Amino acid sequence: MSKAVRERERIVVRFAGDSGDGMQLTGDRFTSATAVLGNDLATLPDFPAEIRAPAGTVHGVSAFQIQFASNDITTPGDHADVLVAMNPAALKADLDKVGKGGVLILNEDSFTERNVQKAGYTADPLEDGTLDGYQVYKVPMTSITVRATEGIGIGKKESERAKNMFALGLVSWMFGRPTDTTLNWLEKKFGSRQEIFDANVAAFKAGYNFGETTELFAESYKVEAAPQVPGTYRNIDGATALAWGLIAASERSGLPLFYASYPITPASELLHELSRHKNFGVVTIQAEDEIAAANIALGAAFSGQLAVTGTSGPGIDLKAETIGLAVIMELPMIIVDVQRAGPSTGMPTKTEQADLLLAMYGRHGESPLPIVSASTPAECFTAALEAARIAVRYRTPVILLSDTFIANSSEPWPIPDVESLPSIDPGFASPNGQDFLPYSRDERLARPWAIPGTPGLVHRIGGLERQDGTGNISYDAANHELMTRLRQAKVDGIADDVPALEVEDPGGEAELLVLGWGSSLGTITAAVARARAGGRSVATAHLRHLNPFPANTGEVVRAYRKVLIPEMNMGQLAALIRARYLVDAASYSKVQGLPIFAEELEHEITRVLDE
Amino acid sequence: MSKAVRERERIVVRFAGDSGDGMQLTGDRFTSATAVLGNDLATLPDFPAEIRAPAGTVHGVSAFQIQFASNDITTPGDHADVLVAMNPAALKADLDKVGKGGVLILNEDSFTERNVQKAGYTADPLEDGTLDGYQVYKVPMTSITVRATEGIGIGKKESERAKNMFALGLVSWMFGRPTDTTLNWLEKKFGSRQEIFDANVAAFKAGYNFGETTELFAESYKVEAAPQVPGTYRNIDGATALAWGLIAASERSGLPLFYASYPITPASELLHELSRHKNFGVVTIQAEDEIAAANIALGAAFSGQLAVTGTSGPGIDLKAETIGLAVIMELPMIIVDVQRAGPSTGMPTKTEQADLLLAMYGRHGESPLPIVSASTPAECFTAALEAARIAVRYRTPVILLSDTFIANSSEPWPIPDVESLPSIDPGFASPNGQDFLPYSRDERLARPWAIPGTPGLVHRIGGLERQDGTGNISYDAANHELMTRLRQAKVDGIADDVPALEVEDPGGEAELLVLGWGSSLGTITAAVARARAGGRSVATAHLRHLNPFPANTGEVVRAYRKVLIPEMNMGQLAALIRARYLVDAASYSKVQGLPIFAEELEHEITRVLDE
Amino acid sequence: MSDVIENGGTAPGDAPTLTKKDFTSDQEPRWCPGCGDYAILSAVQAFMPELGIEPHKTVFVSGIGCSGRFTYYMDTYGMHGIHGRAPALATGIAVAAPELSVWVVTGDGDGLSIGGNHLIHALRRNVDIKILLFNNQIYGLTKGQYSPTSEEGKVTKSTPFGSVDHPFNPIALALGVEATFVARTVDNDRQHLTEVLRRAAQHKGTAFVEIYQNCNVFNDGAFDLLRDKAQGKHNQIRLEHGEPIVFDEGNRCVRIGENGRYEIAPTAETDPDGIVVHDAHGRPSLAFALAHLSRGPDEPSCIGVFHEVERPVYGQAIQHQLQAAKERLGPGDLRSLLHVGDTWTVE
Amino acid sequence: MSDVIENGGTAPGDAPTLTKKDFTSDQEPRWCPGCGDYAILSAVQAFMPELGIEPHKTVFVSGIGCSGRFTYYMDTYGMHGIHGRAPALATGIAVAAPELSVWVVTGDGDGLSIGGNHLIHALRRNVDIKILLFNNQIYGLTKGQYSPTSEEGKVTKSTPFGSVDHPFNPIALALGVEATFVARTVDNDRQHLTEVLRRAAQHKGTAFVEIYQNCNVFNDGAFDLLRDKAQGKHNQIRLEHGEPIVFDEGNRCVRIGENGRYEIAPTAETDPDGIVVHDAHGRPSLAFALAHLSRGPDEPSCIGVFHEVERPVYGQAIQHQLQAAKERLGPGDLRSLLHVGDTWTVE
Ligand SMILES: Cc1ncc(C[n+]2csc(CCOP(=O)(O)OP(=O)(O)O)c2C)c(N)n1
Ligand SMILES: Cc1ncc(C[n+]2csc(CCOP(=O)(O)OP(=O)(O)O)c2C)c(N)n1
Ligand code: SF4
Ligand code: SF4
Ligand SMILES: [Mg+2]
Ligand SMILES: [Mg+2]
């Protein structure tokens, strides 16, 4: 007897368990099955800050959230519809992330007195009314898994470890996800270790069947595929997209990719991913510190490589002096800042977008450079290509801003045709018989890139002020003024060489513009959609180039009576826009190490409109 | 027969010679004699960028400029009235700094063919019309000096070295400076080395008499004493004033002064000066680098010292991460930035004020801190006291901005009465029997300063986000938001605790406000005085607190139809004022490694008024 | 200003009897279960009372890394700095307040990678701080990249094809930069660890203690040859000043070979006079030779105090200069300072 | 990408005959008259042609300091970086372009104070760069503060009461951090300097050359005992691999004392078999002992090549990994990369 199936437009599922419970993998697999079904989706892993806090404590909880839908979605969801909690700590840590009336699927076996205590509960939450108002399903996941895997010939511990596959099976049933994607993957992953493979398959099927057959679950849900532009898709997270974007830039420019970095959360993933692709000729260097990483990259830039150094906030601080050197040397180089939360060490595993003004101004003297930012996980790919294009075309360091949220979360991505990607011309200098002038300039004020090994172009560069043209040391007052203004003009000039800022204003009559940058794109899109659904007319625009702003930015922001800038900081873009265009842009600021929720922003939009 | 004496209101004299010619000393002595006469004055040494470039080349020229007057003056002068050039290179390097019709006093002996060539002249400037339009006096200084010192029993080389005293004597005569100040000083300096003393005295007198007796000079000049408030005065340069201000802050707070630094031009003088005063209990540490210096200072701050670290731009870059740590640790600490010119290594011996936005924003995450700046050499003393007051009162790192120009130049200073200086209460925490809460706050949001060694207050601090109150590590979202806003509010709150921004608007009817900060004060004052003398009404205001701005700043800038902000940068204060108050402040920007000239600014003021 | 303490080192105070509990904070340690850091923490907390210095006169300073959390678990004053800078922070404290007992906890990444410069300068200056370097030959906190002490060819997240860097030998490094106290011990040998801590605490100046620490999550077993009871007794070369160096239950020894070179040899085949007698107080060259007996912890290696000599202590030398200046010039007088040199008076 | 050069070191090229002029730029040197830097510059410019590597295949990299200006005077490619970071810049160049001959010029402040960390990591990695450290035991460019190699008690602008830091021994430091080539020479001995440059150039990997350089303005005479012709012949201990170490016109020697310790003794009183035979290619402990014969250049000191061993070269090892990966996995294909793992197609 088949059960009832309810149709839903969008669903948010959150898997939570101990660090050792394999929740990230469970989430990943669920995402793959969902992507293949053609739903639009957005995901967000939520790692514990500790390496491996004591098992069973809230500090050790690892979670993964996915929103999937039959139409366009842009965030992993403010609140979960379904929480799968593998132990009491997971329930404790994440209950407030479930919307009222939401579904809780709990691993009943784990709610022992000891575990309940470890989680910091004083009484058993299953009994004391804590869960009133939720739809609670208690499922003895561990014991069913152990039973299902009996006879396969693995130990109890191993068999218990398969309980995440049970959960995956159950939730797969609940939302009608295909089983073959998961089974194929298990085959690939464990095919060579028969018992483990068998146990995982058995657990997965047990979960699926548990949903199908027990009385517990009265119904399952269906979320239709979202309409998608034809093409081949994959799911991609921001860290991978950024790494691949750099590789693509290397391929499209013919410049070898050279990545020097010092590990730091959340930028380490870039180093890890790039170090796997040595067959693309990618050099990765783990330097002794961030200063060394920046200088090693700069040395490579001088030598004609596509030089990149990646880090997070604390590393940007440390690289500042070297970035300034790259500014005066006018060499192409990309500095990736995967922003994280807080000043100082702060909250290293949480997200924020508070390094914008640091990127703009975080070097002594006048040392302007272009800033590019990514707004979604997949957009990291194009942002990396764009940063490379600007760096190489203008012979300048470029800061590329991402953040923890973008780096860790994922979304479906129509895989681009390689040939359609922009190609980048290194345009190395070659001798032309005349005296070589390393600080002569082309029509866009870029200087020649003459790399060691080239006969006839021998020259020396350095951090002392350069003489216009010759590049010799100069202490001349007028020359310093000239060079300062040339460096500024070169960067400012890029404004004409980037796409205009696009405004989305369907009715053409909005009086409020919501202007954003970076990872708040998803929230802004969702919040504005809600506001519009509520009958409000609101315009949006999203900046991908933070320095210089696209040429039409002033026009755009001046066209609206009100401008609202939501940021996960204290109003950094707002400060730049206000100073530049003298418009009274208001800042909506959230600094919690978390993305802004669409709901919150919707309220703010309404408030501002009703003001 | 005594010669004619002409009265003048103000005079600018420039001494220029080879690095080895002793021009700084000559200038210094002339300044002392001038100060004692009661003239108002301002000086500026102009060192060569090279350690000791080849003798006789323009790169080796060292100069000293002084303006002195019978009324208030505020700059060392745009153009010199008198240039003393000890060799052709000095003439070549500095001729363009002499006003048309100015007086050139040249050491004729040095104009040999070889020297003329070394200076980069293709023909002898004494002959080829280069000096047309100037009043040229050729004086064989070297040979007269050698003759005057004959029989004293020193070698020719030693005797030639006294020629700077000849020049000093001549110029002293020219402007009626007293001879005893110089003679006393020579006595003190060389008294124990009879021959050297005799030679210098002979040379000095020979110069003085040369002026008095030869036909060459028809007249001398007189500049009346400037009216000064009664009191005891001294001449002081910015580096010394800053060092002494720190010592005064130590004395007035009872906190031992602890200075950790890494040498860098132009901040090294602070280290040198402070290291001389060990009897004040001043600890000075020359660290291995700027990062170490900042951390050593921070460790000392934790231990209850008045902790200071000083550097210039490149060092501020490097200290950024540590300053951020001090922000989250909320410990008192002063970071001195003696700004120099250019991005990267730039022009290390030249001046600029381009680190303001770095001071504001040069750390990752939201990490606000107060910024204080000095506007004149003597003001460095009070600025240091003020920085210490804020740091200690608010338990926060404070950036204190000075610059090369302020640090190196000097002005007369009415020596303050020590008892009248503000006293600073360290207000160390002491146990009160309750659980100690290191992140509790007082009415100004400052937290307790509990230093190791105090029983009952054992606690731990660090760079991870702190829990409000307890100071334990916290990854809580709401707590992070709270702490971020508390740190900001604490700094913002200082606005009420600093003097209001004073406006000088004599007629009360100006439509233009010239707003400044830092070392452009002198230029602004002079330029506005000229504009007023020309019948224009212009208001001025000068910011000493750059973050937060004094509470009335918005009111002030909004009260004028036009606001002009002259800066030796690309408009950094202008950007802050525009963003904050949405007034269309215009930037007047000069980035040449040199102070803005009063004349230039006067033109700009007129231009803006006539717009 | 603090009184000048004549001798550095952490002299026993006259505090009431202290216990391990007095050094244990209320913060629950959050390392991975089984991590070697737990054993070190417990040993340090148990050892501290012996010094007789009260917790409020003790400061622990650490950098970033798993080891960096140590500070929060000690119920003393503590500074958890940024990555790599702990020796500099500690220098500030030790110079400012020479009466305190100052300890630094750092890791192989924190202390030898990003913090290498501060470490070597602290060692040469001989600041009165005790540095405990938890060497697990891996970056733990950032989840498993290789470190400057990882063996060549190490496969990690950042080196999937194996690392190509030659590692530091931390003992040799410390000796090369003029350290006055250099020792090595292992996390799980409570007795040896405690003895080394004791010697470090007694030392006047900077003590450098390398602790082989097992990271059971990202680099499990790196030190088994020395940590494991069964293997350790054959492979630990325990150094004792003034004693001939024999190990492996007496079967092997360190002897003087050609040109003065040290080498491992069967004791039976060695002339007793040719066996090296450990001299911790001599020139660093002898200790340096011992540091190079093995390539790393996968060969028989020395543990114990390699080198221990006296040299002026940085913070004290500074305090002495202050005192001498005061004695010679009289205590500073601000009024006179402001009036020094040429002044003039306007009536 | 550059071709992989099998052997590092700077192998002679087949360039047309080069002269000193080919390595002399049109920029006029601007050091103080009499500065030791002039002699070094002249020696280097004169030596470079011998390598047969054309100027455009040569890169000089320097930091900030008087020594840092060196780069501008060489008519090669050059990078004048910021303070202390030259070894890192040079690492980038050497790894990216292994076919180039890469030289680093640094000072005792640039290389050992602010730049200490990069120096030690370059040395351990064995990057193919030749590091010339101009040690004048002072900060020249900033006009005379003491440096990490200044002797204790040094009176300078920043230490009017004398410095209290114990200095580094740069040779010992390099040996302590696993350097593969360690040598010392003096600015004014053109022949010795050139020979050391030659050996450094031939070395595959990082060569560390300390050059005692006289700063006649801020630290004149610091090395007179070794630089001065008359004194030098008594006090220079010239090291030659395989030769017994005797000096002072044969009057004194280095002999093996108790426990393998090295000491200076009158040759006449020494058993010839007890004289140390210099072994540059052995373990670093022997070289380390030689580095500690003297406290500093105010005592008889060794010059020449202390230590020279082969070890894999960092940049080459990286290039080999790239090649191996290409051979094993085939050259990277962007399309396949983008399609790896789960994909789905919407028609
Ligand atoms: C400036 C900066 N760079 C990088 C990091 C990231 N980070 C934190 S700890 C660490 C390495 C830790 O390794 P180790 O010192 O060996 O400590 P362990 O975790 O192994 O105890 C790194 C790279 C950081 N916090 N700050
Ligand atoms: C980040 C930074 N800090 C400090 C300085 C100032 N500075 C320039 S060179 C130098 C020291 C030079 O000493 P050394 O390396 O011995 O070179 P020398 O001049 O003696 O050849 C210092 C401190 C700087 N340029 N940059
Ligand atoms: S990662 Fe390693 S070092 Fe860090 S806590 Fe876990 S076991 Fe210990
Ligand atoms: S200061 Fe010293 S090192 Fe620098 S150029 Fe002059 S003599 Fe040479
Ligand atoms: Mg480690
Ligand atoms: Mg030097």
Side-chain angles (χ1 to χ4, degrees), chain B residues 3-20:
Chain B
K3 295 193 178 181
V5 178
R6 251 193 217 226
E7 194 129 337
R8 293 281 287 266
E9 225 176 54
R10 58 185 57 206
I11 289 285
V12 178
V13 178
R14 188 173 177 97
F15 299 93
D18 207 67
S19 295

Side-chain angles (χ1 to χ4, degrees), chain C residues 103-168:
Chain C
W103 297 73
V104 169
V105 174
T106 182
D108 43 323
D110 191 60
L112 292 172
S113 197
I114 192 168
N117 207 32
H118 312 304
L119 181 75
I120 64 180
H121 283 272
L123 292 175
R124 106 179 146 77
R125 290 198 186 105
N126 203 33
V127 190
D128 198 14
I129 58 180
K130 316 303 160 203
I131 301 175
L132 312 181
L133 187 137
F134 295 12
N135 183 5
N136 54 14
Q137 302 192 345
I138 199 81
Y139 286 3
L141 191 72
T142 47
K143 306 194 177 169
Q145 299 83 12
Y146 80 118
S147 93
T149 57
S150 299
E151 66 279 12
E152 269 174 70
K154 182 101 185 162
V155 173
T156 68
K157 283 194 184 140
S158 59
T159 51
F161 297 81
S163 64
V164 297
D165 313 22
H166 183 80
F168 282 135

Side-chain angles (χ1 to χ4, degrees), chain B residues 29 32 35-36 38-39 181 188 228-235 244 247-248 251-252 256 258 273 276-289 291-292 295-300 302-303 305 321-322 325 329 331 381 412-413 415-416 418 421 450-464 466 472-473 475, chain C residues 1-2 25-27 30 54-60 64 69-83 85-97 99-100 114 117-119 121-122 124-125 314 318-319 321-323 325-327 329-347:
Chain B
R29 289 297 93 214
S32 275
V36 167
N39 290 133
T181 335
K188 235 190 268 162
Q228 283 179 320
V229 178
T232 301
Y233 286 74
R234 63 168 303 121
N235 200 45
W244 291 3
I247 294 175
E251 294 281 309
R252 300 299 291 168
F258 191 110
E273 177 60 24
R276 285 181 202 120
H277 300 293
K278 297 222 183 301
N279 60 326
F280 283 86
V282 179
V283 169
T284 55
I285 290 187
Q286 180 175 317
E288 58 271 27
D289 60 24
I291 301 178
N295 280 279
I296 292 172
L298 188 56
F302 184 54
S303 312
Q305 314 270 305
E321 195 199 4
T322 308
L325 178 63
M329 285 186 164
L331 283 172
F381 184 84
W413 179 46
I415 303 172
V418 168
L421 298 174
I451 68 173
T454 318
L457 302 184
V458 155
H459 70 288
R460 289 142 304 270
I461 56 177
L464 288 160
R466 310 279 97 191
N472 290 333
I473 300 175
Y475 298 114
Chain C
M1 182 126 1
S2 339
S25 84
D26 61 355
Q27 299 294 299
R30 298 230 185 101
E54 287 158 292
H56 70 265
K57 292 185 179 149
T58 306
V59 187
F60 272 78
I64 306 288
R69 295 301 180 90
F70 201 93
T71 292
Y72 293 112
Y73 309 141
M74 296 297 302
D75 203 13
T76 64
Y77 280 92
M79 265 190 134
H80 179 219
I82 46 178
H83 197 26
R85 319 299 174 189
L89 284 171
T91 296
I93 299 169
V95 172
E99 71 282 6
L100 300 176
I114 192 168
N117 207 32
H118 312 304
L119 181 75
H121 283 272
R124 106 179 146 77
R125 290 198 186 105
Y314 184 71
I318 291 178
Q319 298 291 349
Q321 284 193 337
L322 300 190
Q323 271 191 345
K326 275 183 210 161
E327 278 157 25
L329 307 167
D333 174 63
L334 186 54
R335 207 194 154 275
S336 327
L337 175 66
L338 303 187
H339 286 77
V340 83
D342 295 335
T343 63
W344 67 97
T345 302
V346 175
E347 308 287 320

Side-chain angles (χ1 to χ4, degrees), chain D residues 288-328:
Chain D
F288 194 84
L290 293 174
H292 279 89
L293 276 179
S294 67
R295 242 184 4 201
D298 52 346
E299 292 183 354
S301 300
C302 300
I303 63 170
V305 178
F306 285 71
H307 186 60
E308 183 179 11
V309 293
E310 284 219 17
R311 211 169 60 212
V313 175
Y314 184 71
Q316 281 165 33
I318 291 178
Q319 298 291 349
H320 283 148
Q321 284 192 336
L322 300 190
Q323 271 191 346
K326 273 183 209 163
E327 278 158 25
R328 201 158 52 79

